[in-house]
Amino acid sequence: RGPYVSIRRFSGKLLEMSDLVKRGALSAPVAELLRACVLARKNIAVSGGTGSGKTTLLNLLSSFIPAQERIIVIEDASELRLKQAHVLPMEARHPDHQGRGAVTIRDLLACSLRLRPDRIVVGECRGGEALDMLQAMNTGHAGSLTTVHANSCRDALSRLETLALMSGVELPLTAVRGQVASALDLVVQVARLADGSRRLTGIGEVLDLDEEGRYRSNLLLSFAITGKDPESGRLLGELRPVGPPP
């Protein structure tokens, strides 16, 4: 029955990918796979629920971007901390009490395209800016990264589709799906398990659309729980390869 305050406190020490490997969030070969995908300029979306570690993983994926590339980071609230020299951070601004002076993520995306970026990193797609992000990925800005709230790799595609339709641009559903399918290369799924641990639970490859306009995707790796540590109560599991779709 009064004001509520939420304080997000960040650690003074930046996590490395090796720290996630030590904690069991993913294995060393999977970390190397993600590093290779970033270096190969694949467009990647990190999906997961609230508190699952999306921003942490996005920050680590961004650290794999070569130092000589120009990176533009667009966020609603500044959370990402990149070590490269050529990083241009942009932060959205909320309107004042009179409803003026707002700077949206969509505005920042439009401005960023004029700055000749090599990579665009959007902290989170949660509205109509998803369409602008997809169009940027489709117009020469390969290797861009973002996060989205979704429960699975497949759901992340539907989520981006829904967000793109919220942009106010009148586009047919097939055109939006075509944008999503052609823009994204990989979806990395993270989750917070029942024991509180954060794990990488899946990596999905986005292919194209089938003849009926549905997404064709291939789940490359899937997390499987193998047991439970009797002493700590921590869930044990591993990422296992998944066969090609029938």
Side-chain angles (χ1 to χ4, degrees):
R1 298 296 188 268
Y4 296 94
V5 178
S6 175
I7 300 175
R8 301 191 66 179
R9 183 175 180 272
F10 298 96
S11 172
K13 176 183 178 296
L14 292 178
L15 289 177
E16 303 286 346
M17 189 63 79
S18 58
D19 296 322
L20 296 191
V21 174
K22 292 177 182 177
R23 297 179 182 185
L26 72 166
S27 63
V30 172
E32 187 60 30
L33 170 65
L34 294 176
R35 178 178 177 274
C37 291
V38 173
L39 292 177
R41 303 183 68 87
K42 299 297 182 182
N43 293 324
I44 302 175
V46 180
S47 68
T50 302
S52 59
K54 299 187 301 297
T55 302
T56 298
L57 183 58
L58 179 63
N59 200 83
L60 292 176
L61 293 178
S62 302
S63 68
F64 293 144
I65 298 176
Q68 69 271 16
E69 296 189 10
R70 184 199 299 257
I71 309 166
I72 293 184
V73 180
I74 300 175
E75 297 180 88
D76 184 56
S78 183
E79 294 179 333
L80 298 176
R81 291 181 287 178
L82 276 67
K83 299 178 180 179
Q84 291 88 335
H86 304 290
V87 178
L88 308 177
M90 297 182 176
E91 188 174 358
R93 184 172 63 193
H94 296 286
D96 59 17
H97 63 282
Q98 295 181 348
R100 298 177 302 185
V103 179
T104 66
I105 292 182
R106 298 193 69 179
D107 297 331
L108 296 178
L109 269 169
C111 293
S112 69
L113 299 180
R114 303 186 183 97
L115 299 177
R116 197 174 53 82
D118 294 308
R119 311 258 189 162
I120 299 176
V121 179
V122 178
E124 181 181 346
C125 283
R126 62 176 68 185
E129 67 272 3
L131 180 61
D132 301 273
M133 181 67 190
L134 294 172
Q135 290 178 338
M137 290 179 174
N138 281 322
T139 54
H141 298 88
S144 297
L145 307 170
T146 188
T147 70
V148 63
H149 277 81
N151 293 325
S152 67
C153 296
R154 187 81 179 188
D155 289 346
L157 303 180
S158 300
R159 172 71 172 164
L160 285 172
E161 173 188 313
T162 302
L163 295 177
L165 291 173
M166 293 169 57
S167 64
V169 180
E170 296 295 333
L171 289 175
L173 181 59
T174 53
V176 175
R177 287 185 174 178
Q179 289 277 338
V180 174
S182 61
L184 284 181
D185 296 308
L186 287 178
V187 177
V188 180
Q189 183 70 28
V190 293
R192 186 174 182 178
L193 303 184
D195 62 351
S197 62
R198 295 173 175 87
R199 305 287 184 89
L200 193 153
T201 58
I203 298 179
E205 176 188 17
V206 185
L207 302 174
D208 52 14
L209 299 178
D210 60 16
E211 297 178 353
E212 299 181 2
R214 295 175 300 187
Y215 295 110
R216 291 180 61 247
S217 58
N218 182 21
L219 188 61
L220 302 177
L221 297 171
S222 179
F223 181 79
I225 297 176
T226 57
K228 187 175 183 179
D229 191 326
E231 296 182 0
S232 63
R234 190 165 182 264
L235 294 174
L236 304 176
E238 61 181 357
L239 280 168
R240 295 176 177 175
V242 180

